[in-house]
Amino acid sequence: MEKTVFGRTGREVSRIGLGTWQLGTKWGDPFNEEEAMKILEAAYETGITFIDTADVYNGGNSEKTIGKFLKKHPEHFYVVTKCGRALKPHTADMYTPQAVEKFVDGSLSRLGLEKLDNILLHCPPSSVFKKDEIFTKLDKLKQSGKIRDYGVSIEKNSEGLDAMEYGISAIEVIFNMFRMKPEEVLFPKAVEKNVGIIARVPLASGLLTGRFTKDTVFGQKDHRTFNRNGESFDKGETFSGVDYNLGLEAVDKLKNLFNTQDLIPYALRWILMHDAVSVVIPGASKVEQVYSNVNAAKAPALTDEQMAGVKDIYDKYIRESVHSNW
């Protein structure tokens, strides 16, 4: 497994991590702890050392299950969790120093830890990234020993630029073949400040697997059914903000470019070609997906021609509707 030092944290981590939004289950289906534990075991066996979770994933069950697994392998994993999305309403005014500390305490309890490796603000409203009191509180929590480091998960590149005015160690951002803007505006400053980059939604909610068609049906509780136009949260979280049918057209071109029906190893390897990215966090609802994701790290580097081909497809099909929005 390819590894790297995760920004200013100084911790060495695997460049393929495990995202746990849908740990052990498909989006919208009941949580399956037994399957979740099998997935975590597969991650351990394959050399994954980086786990991304959040307090709201599976109603807290993702953190709780990870916490149980950490008891078996206490020194193996670097765990990043996120906080804030449980606020009701989810507004900037609700982000207070007191709320942040409550979230930290909750994650510590569910994970069974005395100190969090890293906690990220979980895609808050844009104005939160300029609230001095929130980052001052995170600094104090670090000084008190409740957290080792902190960072942000963002929707817009501008939010990451604002957050880097504070002492953050990490930025989690959507970055994939259908979302290229971070490379232009965010990564250079992150490299300059030694901030670790976590690439999330690497397969564009599954579009970049190459397995979907116009006839694919998603569950009623799956965000790929109910959030295509941003009905429940930011549109960019679903298919990376790309119109589904337009995305399928671009996927067909990518399949031709790589002469394959399975785009997963190419989509993940494309992300890993960017040195600014510390770790990419594909999810897994079953064990087989962990092995598939890890194999991407073993795939050959993409050629200059392939990289240029991906950029051409993005420019022709995706850029106009996506690039300026995030």
Side-chain angles (χ1 to χ4, degrees):
M1 172 66 72
E2 184 180 355
K3 295 183 178 180
T4 190
V5 175
F6 187 49
R8 64 177 63 169
T9 71
R11 284 288 298 269
E12 186 179 69
V13 299
S14 57
R15 292 199 75 202
I16 294 285
L18 177 67
T20 64
W21 184 3
Q22 74 272 41
L23 179 66
T25 183
K26 293 182 178 179
W27 279 307
D29 288 352
F31 180 69
N32 185 330
E33 182 178 319
E34 181 180 358
E35 188 66 24
M37 291 295 280
K38 290 179 180 178
I39 288 168
L40 291 169
E41 187 64 45
Y44 173 77
E45 290 175 353
T46 55
I48 289 174
T49 65
F50 188 102
I51 294 179
D52 173 86
T53 188
D55 52 4
V56 295
Y57 288 173
N58 292 303
N61 284 317
S62 284
E63 281 189 331
K64 290 177 182 177
T65 305
I66 292 165
K68 290 179 182 179
F69 195 78
L70 291 177
K71 288 182 171 62
K72 296 170 59 179
H73 307 288
E75 302 298 327
H76 182 78
F77 289 108
Y78 183 86
V79 180
V80 172
T81 192
K82 301 186 290 295
C83 69
R85 299 300 295 190
L87 291 169
K88 307 270 186 218
H90 187 242
T91 61
D93 290 344
M94 296 292 283
Y95 278 83
T96 65
Q98 295 78 16
V100 170
E101 183 158 18
K102 183 178 179 181
F103 285 132
V104 167
D105 289 342
S107 289
L108 284 169
S109 176
R110 285 184 293 274
L111 287 164
L113 298 172
E114 294 183 358
K115 180 183 288 190
L116 299 179
D117 288 329
N118 211 317
I119 189 163
L120 314 182
L121 300 179
H122 196 176
C123 298
S126 294
S127 61
V128 172
F129 296 98
K130 297 181 179 181
K131 291 183 75 170
D132 292 350
E133 63 267 31
I134 297 301
F135 293 96
T136 297
K137 182 62 176 181
L138 288 165
D139 281 327
K140 290 180 178 178
L141 289 169
K142 185 174 179 178
Q143 293 163 9
S144 71
K146 286 190 176 183
I147 63 177
R148 289 187 175 87
D149 289 289
Y150 63 85
V152 295
S153 183
I154 63 173
E155 300 287 3
K156 299 176 181 178
N157 289 280
S158 59
E159 296 167 346
L161 295 174
D162 288 338
M164 279 191 279
E165 296 303 311
Y166 300 95
I168 67 169
S169 66
I171 295 175
E172 188 170 294
V173 61
I174 297 176
F175 181 62
N176 58 48
M177 288 177 171
F178 286 170
R179 188 75 78 83
M180 295 192 184
K181 190 173 181 179
E183 181 185 8
E184 295 178 9
V185 302
L186 190 68
F187 291 179
K189 188 171 182 179
V191 169
E192 176 188 334
K193 289 183 169 287
N194 197 21
V195 171
I197 293 290
I198 307 166
R200 65 187 183 93
V201 195
L203 300 176
S205 307
L207 252 183
L208 286 168
T209 65
R211 297 173 181 173
F212 297 165
T213 70
K214 290 183 178 180
D215 298 322
T216 300
V217 177
F218 304 99
Q220 287 302 306
K221 295 182 179 180
D222 189 320
H223 71 98
R224 295 172 293 188
T225 295
F226 66 76
N227 193 58
R228 292 193 182 189
N229 296 302
E231 293 90 338
S232 295
F233 42 83
D234 192 281
K235 178 182 176 181
E237 296 286 346
T238 302
F239 302 128
S240 296
V242 176
D243 175 79
Y244 183 70
N245 289 324
L246 179 64
L248 290 178
E249 286 186 53
V251 163
D252 282 341
K253 299 301 181 183
L254 288 169
K255 287 179 178 179
N256 290 335
L257 173 66
F258 294 109
N259 191 29
T260 184
Q261 293 298 304
D262 180 13
L263 288 177
I264 293 174
Y266 298 95
L268 295 179
R269 173 47 68 183
W270 181 87
I271 295 172
L272 293 176
M273 294 292 291
H274 297 80
D275 291 339
V277 174
S278 302
V279 58
V280 55
I281 52 168
S285 59
K286 52 188 178 182
V287 169
E288 293 77 12
Q289 292 170 342
V290 176
Y291 293 107
S292 174
N293 295 338
V294 169
N295 284 337
K298 303 174 184 176
L302 302 190
T303 66
D304 291 344
E305 290 77 13
Q306 288 171 329
M307 294 295 288
V310 174
K311 179 69 161 48
D312 288 343
I313 292 167
Y314 175 83
D315 287 343
K316 182 175 181 180
Y317 292 91
I318 307 298
R319 176 181 286 271
E320 183 177 357
S321 62
V322 168
H323 203 79
S324 63
N325 292 335
W326 291 280

